[in-house]
Structures are given as C-alpha cells and as structure tokens.
Amino acid sequence: MSSQLEVLNRWVDDVARLTQPDRIHWCDGSEAERDRLTALMLERGDLIRLNPDSHPNCFLHRSDPRDVARVEHLTFVCTRDREDAGPNNHWMDPAEAHAKIDALFAGSMRGRTLYVVPYCMGPIDSPYARCGVEITDSPYVVANMRVMTRMGAQALARIERDGRFVKGLHSTGELDPDRRFIMHFPEELTIKSYGSGYGGNALLGKKCHALRIASWQARDEGWLAEHMLIVGIRNPAGRTRYVAAAFPSACGKTNLAMLIPPKGHREAGWEVFTVGDDICWMQPGPDGRLWAINPEAGFFGVAPGTSAKTNPNALAMLDRDAIFTNVAVTADDRPWWEGLDAGTPAFDWQGRPFDPANGPAAHPNSRFTVPIKACPSVSPEVDNPAGVPIDAIVFGGRRESLVPLVMEARDWRHGVLLGAAMASETTAAATGAVGVVRRDPMAMKPFCGYNFADYFAHWLSMPSRATRLPRIFHVNWFRKGADGRFLWPGFGENLRVLEWIVGRCDGSAGAVETPVGLLPRRQDLNLAGLDLTAAQVDALLTVDAEGFLAEYQAIGDYLGEFGARMPRELRDEHARVLAALAGAVDRGRARQVVNG
Ligand code: GTP
Ligand code: SPV
Ligand code: MN
C-alpha cells in the first residue's frame, strides 16, 4: 500500500493536469503564509481593510452578488444506487456527475494558483477527528479554512497516520449560476465544487465534509454527524451539563451557543460555555453516553441581528482578527449590519452608496469568520480529544404559530419522531424564497448525505449502541402574537428554557403529558423578572390538538414519501401520536392549556 502522501501527490498532479494552474502552493497554516495571502488579496481587491483603529486586522470580502448563499438546487449526492441518496437529495449518477463537473474544471485554474489545503475536522489528537484536503484556487477560501479548521502541517502529518482523507476539489470558476455544481461522492470520500466562492458551497470542510460525507461515514461506523451547536450549562450547584441543539440555518444556533444568562440567573451563579455553534459529531463512549466534539475551529456566523443586546459575546469577538463577508460599512470603515446598535451604513454590501431603496445595507446572509478561541464564553473543553458528554438533545425550528415554546419527548423513539417531524420557515442562508415553512428533519434537510429513511433508522438504532442516551426536547423561540411580534423574548432569556431542560435531566423539574410531548406548566418554568402576560404564557404553553392533528397528518404524508424504506418503528410512533391527537379532539379537548 502506498503512503497517503503519495496518494495526495498523485491526486494533486491529476488535478493540476486537469485545471492547468500557473502555480501550486502547499499550505502550511503558518502566520507568515496568512500574511502573504492577506497582502495578495488586498492588492487584488478580494479583501478591503476595515478601520485599523476600531477593528485591527479585520477585513471585508464582497462576494459576487449572484453568489451569496448555499445553492441547494445545485447540490447533488452522487451514489451508485439512487435510492441511497433518497428523495431528500438531488441525485446524479457518479460517472455522469464526474464527467459534467470535470468538463467545467478543465483549464479553470489557468492564470491562477492552486492551493493544497490539508485540514483536520476536530481536535488534532482526537480519535473522533477526521481529515481532508481541499484543493482550491481561491485565497479567500484558504483564509477562511485557516480559521474554520485545524489547517496545515499538523493536519498533513495526521493524514499520513490515519491512512485516509476526504478529497475536496474546488474552483471559483466564472461564478455563473448556470455553471455551478456542488457534488458529493460519499462512496469515494470525494467532493467537487465549481462556480461558487461562498461559505458552505466553497469551504468544503464545513457542510460538504463535516455533514454530508461525515453523516454517511457516521452511519457506517455507528456515530452521528449533526447540524447542531454544543453548549455547556453550569448550574449554581456547580454541575455542568452539555446540550446539543439542531436548528435549521439562521435559526439561532450561534446565539444559543454563546448566550449570556439573564441578570437573575447570572447573580444566582448560572454560567454558559460555548463548545460549538454549527456542527456536532457524537460517538457512543465506553460509559454508554454520547460524547461530542465540535469538528470546527471557528465560527462562520450570521451578522444581521447580532448586537450588544442579542449576542454580546459575538459582538465582543468581532472587533479584531475577523473576516466579514457581504456586510455594509460606515463612513469610517467599520463593519455594519441591520440590528447593530450603533453607526449608520455609508456603503451597502455591494459597495454602492447606501440607499434604502436598494434593500438592506448588509446582505441578510452576510457573515463573520472568527476563531472559536476569540469567544469570551469559549469552553475549556473545546480541544478535549474525548469531547464532552451530552445530556440533552434539542430540536427546534422557526414557527410563528402552533409549535409551543418547549416540549420533551417521552423516550428516545418519540424523540426521533420529534426530530423527523421538524419544519421551519426558510431563511436567507440558502437561495430561494424566505419565510416559507418546509419540512427540515433534524435541521439536516440540506445536509444529510443519504436517504432520510436510512438516517431515521440509524437514529433509532442508537439505543442498541449506547445505554445512557440523552433526553430529547423540541423548542420554538419564534412564536408570534396577533400583533406580528415575537411572543418570547429569546436570546439570553432562552436560558430559562435550558434551565427546565437540565432540570428534567436532574429529575427536579415538573411537566405534564400531552399528545405531542411533555410540557412545563407555568410554575415549572422560571419566568421571574419577565413581563409576559398570562395570555402570552398561555399561547406559548398550549397544545392546539386540532392544529397538531393537521400537522401530524402532513408529517405522515411526508414520511410516506419515503415508501417502504421508512422504518416501521417510526411509522408506528407517528400512528401513536396521531391517534392520541384524534382522541383529544374527539373528547372535545381541542386546546390543552398546561400553564396550570
Ligand atoms: P447557521 O449559521 O446558518 O447554521 O445559523 P444559526 O442557527 O447559527 O443562526 P443564528 O444564531 O446566527 O441566528 C440567525 C438569526 O436568528 C439572527 O438574525 C438572530 O438574531 C436570530 N435569532 C437567534 N436567536 C433568536 C431568538 O432567540 N429569538 C429571536 N427572535 N431571534 C433569534
Ligand atoms: C448554514 O447555512 O447552515 C451555515 C452557513 O451554517 S454555510 O456555511 O454557508 O452553509
Ligand atoms: Mn449551519
């Protein structure tokens, strides 16, 4: 068997023959290399230096206006058997896909530099970490990969030890949306991405590797690769519990991962520790629990809405060493976005003088890239090779009606149904309509690298792999009142819901059973200091059985789309909830108010 370095060298040679770069650069991840790349990008106009006094070492990148978000309709999972990709993915035959995208790659790096970017997803010495190499012709991608992953010489050394790595080939191409594909070949541990320089389309370690390819590997190897934040919550007694939470794109993971407790909680001694904000890899440990690592080393976070009020921890890390993509700037070159407390935009995200007639100043999917270590609430466990033990898994979506603030699954199987039943209003994180409710099981609709029916079966198999599984919950911060405003204050106040969740894990918090799950009564939640009316609490903690009956009928139709491959266990669980809802409606209990 040849060494991985030989395999890598041969692949780089093959790619260079195809793409015809002028130069090849092997990235070592050093600061000197970063500084040279930054100078190059400033010279080419790929980066703009922001105000060095207020924002030292911060840069702005303006992407092509046609290239501002993930492109789900151009993202493919290319497996030999179409059924393995499932109705949840766009599929193309692997041979056809290679031929199609290789034709685009032919000669695409002429006049450019080919960068070889070895990276490690996860703490470099963790048995759970996995390596890859991204070949790209974009210095912006290199700069982001350096922040988002453990990139360079140490990753290369680990690849030789591991004996395998994921191959990711990326070229910016002409940025023509009609000549753009993001293709995954899980059976070959290969990714090919052409025609976009943006985020999840181009930083191949993130969604392409750590979710689509990794979810496939995780199924084969008995673990989970999920679109989840990881947060540690220390109660006043000094016990830290770790929670992993799956919310769809731009639905609050970054914010929950680094929340600052409300004043009363802070004074009582509650503390929050950030382990990750987007991706979670969980493995059963020898003690029967699930142990989680964050495969990433940085945040690629949503800028709009980030303020001193909503997310002070994020704001605190954005005044140095940050890359901003598609934000607006003030007259004195400070980054600016909608929701920011101070300043006014002088130029919008496209560099035009700001004119409200052109829409928001910052693109709704504008983002910041910063190292996780810059976060004031970063957990001391982020680099722990063993990960952290997960006590609770939380699912959640953006639902302006029907779905209560929080509910708990009665057991693992019911929890898998709560995840499978998720739906959420779409956001600007992907191109297409915004605000449309769509089914997004476990926040993995855009990211599961295989058939959802098999994915649910894999989740259902976890009790046979781990004896002390986390409890499962579902939350919704986005309920709106008749006035169109959010009912729940959200952000730091979400700790009140996490307090109930960890209280359930401790056995100290009460709940009542409803057909859709266990809910806290008003007295089970710590609402001290919030000025919510009784009617608002009612709305947040009410199960509308009639509404949920319709919802669960729609969920049944959705699960039915997967045919016989859908596990019987999940269909039975769905039938159980449906019958309980129908019973409640028959008994005339269309509304079950549980706020006691
Ligand atoms: P991705 O990085 O796309 O996977 O998103 P994310 O899940 O990390 O989303 P993020 O935390 O960045 O939140 C996206 C948007 O939701 C921001 O504009 C936030 O201000 C807003 N948001 C986050 N948490 C809350 C909340 O508790 N209540 C309300 N009303 N808005 C929230
Ligand atoms: C998401 O869309 O869920 C993100 C941003 O986290 S991106 O990396 O662009 O996918
Ligand atoms: Mn995400």
Side-chain angles (χ1 to χ4, degrees):
M1 223 193 80
S2 54
S3 83
Q4 288 305 297
L5 289 187
E6 285 165 20
V7 174
L8 174 56
N9 271 303
R10 270 203 302 277
W11 177 52
V12 172
D13 286 347
D14 290 345
V15 168
R17 248 192 313 280
L18 175 67
T19 59
Q20 306 273 309
D22 282 13
R23 287 165 300 276
I24 296 181
H25 176 89
W26 288 69
C27 295
D28 61 15
S30 65
E31 284 185 17
E33 177 181 80
R34 181 204 53 198
D35 293 344
R36 278 198 307 275
L37 272 173
T38 303
L40 174 81
M41 286 188 280
L42 284 167
E43 193 185 302
R44 295 184 359 170
D46 291 346
L47 289 185
I48 296 164
R49 189 183 290 281
L50 293 168
N51 187 319
D53 297 322
S54 60
H55 290 77
N57 209 25
C58 287
F59 303 94
L60 167 65
H61 173 75
R62 292 193 181 117
S63 75
D64 186 288
R66 300 166 303 169
D67 183 33
V68 293
R70 284 183 294 99
V71 280
E72 295 178 2
H73 60 296
L74 303 174
T75 300
F76 289 79
V77 171
C78 310
T79 47
R80 285 189 297 264
D81 182 348
R82 181 179 196 142
E83 287 305 308
D84 289 338
N88 46 301
N89 280 300
H90 299 297
W91 176 87
M92 205 183 288
D93 171 74
E96 185 192 339
H98 280 300
K100 210 176 189 99
I101 200 161
D102 285 354
L104 297 174
F105 276 116
S108 70
M109 297 191 189
R110 272 188 208 122
R112 301 186 188 184
T113 299
L114 178 160
Y115 298 93
V116 183
V117 185
Y119 63 86
C120 179
M121 301 309 292
I124 194 83
D125 53 352
S126 171
Y128 305 150
R130 298 297 161 94
C131 290
V133 177
E134 175 165 359
I135 292 179
T136 179
D137 56 6
S138 161
Y140 166 81
V141 166
V142 177
N144 277 272
M145 286 292 284
R146 186 174 184 278
V147 178
M148 297 303 296
T149 72
R150 281 91 172 164
M151 183 268 256
Q154 16 166 20
L156 198 58
R158 181 168 166 152
I159 285 170
E160 190 59 33
R161 286 200 304 280
D162 283 355
R164 64 172 171 178
F165 64 95
V166 170
K167 295 186 176 100
L169 172 55
H170 168 254
S171 177
T172 311
E174 319 73 340
L175 297 173
D176 175 353
D178 294 327
R179 288 164 58 82
R180 179 177 297 164
F181 288 108
I182 323 295
M183 289 174 168
H184 304 75
F185 305 87
E187 290 148 329
E188 305 165 36
L189 297 188
T190 295
I191 304 154
K192 292 185 176 180
S193 164
Y194 185 89
S196 165
Y198 193 87
N201 300 330
L203 312 177
L204 302 186
K206 198 172 175 55
K207 306 300 182 170
C208 301
H209 176 167
L211 288 177
R212 298 194 191 96
I213 300 285
S215 62
W216 177 285
Q217 292 181 292
R219 187 256 317 253
D220 284 352
E221 299 167 11
W223 51 284
L224 296 167
E226 301 298 329
H227 191 206
M228 292 180 178
L229 67 95
I230 308 167
V231 65
I233 297 145
R234 190 164 71 199
N235 71 9
R239 166 148 205 192
T240 303
R241 290 193 180 271
Y242 292 92
V243 174
F247 309 152
S249 302
C251 289
K253 291 184 299 302
T254 304
N255 280 268
L256 193 70
M258 52 187 79
L259 75 81
I260 291 187
K263 189 157 169 285
H265 283 75
R266 226 160 38 235
E267 286 166 0
W270 289 86
E271 218 176 322
V272 165
F273 301 96
T274 309
V275 182
D277 84 325
D278 197 48
I279 302 178
C280 168
W281 286 357
M282 283 182 285
Q283 299 254 4
D287 61 355
R289 302 166 88 183
L290 288 185
W291 289 76
I293 60 164
N294 172 11
E296 301 190 285
F299 304 117
F300 183 62
V302 175
T306 308
S307 73
K309 219 160 94 223
T310 59
N311 192 351
N313 275 328
L315 211 60
M317 60 186 180
L318 296 182
D319 57 8
R320 78 209 103 89
D321 306 320
I323 303 170
F324 295 88
T325 301
N326 292 340
V327 298
V329 287
T330 62
D332 61 347
D333 296 328
R334 296 173 193 234
W336 193 92
W337 50 81
E338 276 69 19
L340 196 63
D341 317 71
T344 41
F347 296 96
D348 72 7
W349 62 278
Q350 299 188 58
R352 301 172 299 193
F354 174 58
D355 177 354
N358 289 331
H363 189 277
N365 192 35
S366 55
R367 301 236 168 198
F368 53 78
T369 316
V370 279
I372 191 164
K373 297 277 170 63
C375 183
S377 59
V378 65
S379 163
E381 304 296 327
V382 267
D383 283 328
N384 190 335
V388 295
I390 299 297
D391 286 307
I393 287 176
V394 180
F395 295 117
R398 194 181 270 273
R399 294 293 296 270
E400 65 172 37
S401 59
L402 185 67
V403 182
L405 179 64
V406 60
M407 44 194 183
E408 181 185 356
R410 47 167 18 204
D411 55 20
W412 182 263
R413 172 165 126 160
H414 181 218
V416 174
L417 178 66
L418 285 187
M422 268 171 67
S424 194
E425 292 146 24
T426 52
T427 65
T431 56
V434 168
V436 182
V437 176
R438 72 157 176 183
R439 304 240 75 90
D440 191 352
M442 296 171 178
M444 285 288 277
K445 167 70 190 74
F447 308 120
C448 183
Y450 62 103
N451 192 318
F452 260 152
D454 301 343
Y455 173 75
F456 300 144
H458 180 51
W459 267 81
L460 290 166
S461 78
M462 292 314 281
S464 70
R465 305 170 196 276
T467 50
R468 295 168 64 198
L469 287 168
R471 287 172 176 251
I472 299 181
F473 299 83
H474 190 287
V475 301
N476 177 24
W477 314 141
F478 299 94
R479 271 297 279 279
K480 287 184 178 167
D483 59 0
R485 294 173 48 171
F486 291 117
L487 278 173
W488 178 249
F491 303 103
E493 307 295 346
N494 292 333
L495 184 65
R496 297 170 189 275
V497 174
L498 292 176
E499 179 184 2
W500 182 74
I501 287 173
V502 299
R504 293 295 297 163
C505 297
D506 291 337
S508 61
V512 288
E513 201 159 346
T514 81
V516 289
L518 298 143
L519 269 78
R521 295 156 301 182
R522 167 196 281 272
Q523 68 266 29
D524 298 320
L525 277 181
N526 177 355
L527 300 175
L530 279 187
D531 54 350
L532 286 174
T533 64
Q536 285 171 322
V537 178
D538 261 20
L540 288 164
L541 298 180
T542 295
V543 171
D544 167 1
E546 232 158 55
F548 262 117
L549 184 62
E551 175 82 0
Y552 269 82
Q553 276 156 350
I555 293 162
D557 293 345
Y558 176 72
L559 298 180
E561 288 170 22
F562 294 82
R565 205 149 162 153
M566 186 55 68
R568 147 128 265 145
E569 220 185 318
L570 196 64
R571 284 185 281 144
D572 288 350
E573 187 64 11
H574 172 262
R576 183 188 67 75
V577 174
L578 199 63
L581 284 165
V585 172
D586 280 350
R587 286 194 307 275
R589 298 186 53 192
R591 270 170 56 83
Q592 183 171 2
V593 180
V594 296
N595 65 335

